[in-house]
Amino acid sequence: MDTADWSFTVATETGSRTWGWDEFLALGVEDVTVDIHCVTHWSKLGMAWRGVPLDAIFAEVETQYDYVMAQSFGGYTTNVPLDELLDGQSWIAIEADGEPLSPEHGGPARLLVPHLYFWKSAKWIAGLRAMPDDGPGFWEQNGYHLHGDPWREERYS
């Protein structure tokens, strides 16, 4: 997807907010170095990323809900508790290892939630929908753990 066609929407109980690529980047981009962990038993340590922090996004919207469903172009979904996206814990990544994200790796933008298994870092991110209660996304409906903490080995339900 070309960045000229990309948008990101956050939908809450009070309405929705959509950003185009340039508006989105204007929220502020950060460089971070984090470890990532895949449910298939691999990790990559000290990986450099660049992205917009979820803190900047949620400074622009209001919600009283405690959960979100990440929604990707193409229909993929994954659930994440909102408190695990805020306070410097997650980003909408636009670069990895100094390069723009390739389509294969979720480009032009993907969710990055490094403290959870990597299936929670949804590729081709289109937006987040706030939810009052937790509910399963794609992999969670198909046997993966609802939460996905690698340190607790929360792979499967």
Side-chain angles (χ1 to χ4, degrees), residues 26-148:
L27 293 173
V29 176
E30 295 180 351
D31 294 315
V32 296
T33 301
V34 296
D35 303 336
I36 58 172
H37 309 281
C38 185
V39 71
T40 60
H41 300 278
W42 62 261
S43 295
K44 185 168 182 180
L45 306 179
M47 188 169 179
W49 296 85
R50 185 177 185 105
V52 174
L54 269 285
D55 293 321
I57 296 163
F58 277 89
E60 301 284 322
V61 296
E62 288 185 34
T63 185
Q64 297 298 312
Y65 290 168
D66 293 328
Y67 301 92
V68 300
M69 185 67 70
Q71 300 174 309
S72 296
F73 294 98
Y76 178 79
T77 58
T78 191
N79 63 304
V80 185
L82 182 58
D83 67 352
E84 297 209 32
L85 295 178
L86 303 177
D87 297 324
Q89 297 182 89
S90 65
W91 299 263
I92 302 299
I94 59 168
E95 293 181 12
D97 288 332
E99 298 291 329
L101 286 177
S102 67
E104 176 185 358
H105 294 291
R110 74 176 300 152
L111 182 60
L112 175 62
V113 188
H115 66 281
L116 298 177
Y117 278 122
F118 212 44
W119 88 79
K120 296 292 187 174
S121 294
K123 294 179 178 182
W124 312 293
I125 192 75
L128 301 170
R129 180 177 43 86
M131 306 182 303
D133 300 303
D134 203 3
F138 176 82
W139 282 115
E140 298 83 12
Q141 291 176 30
N142 288 286
Y144 279 34
H145 197 279
L146 201 60
H147 183 240

Side-chain angles (χ1 to χ4, degrees), residues 4-24:
D5 299 321
W6 182 88
S7 64
F8 183 80
T9 300
V10 176
T12 71
E13 68 277 20
T14 61
S16 64
R17 173 80 191 266
T18 300
W19 296 265
W21 186 257
D22 292 335
E23 293 174 300
F24 187 73

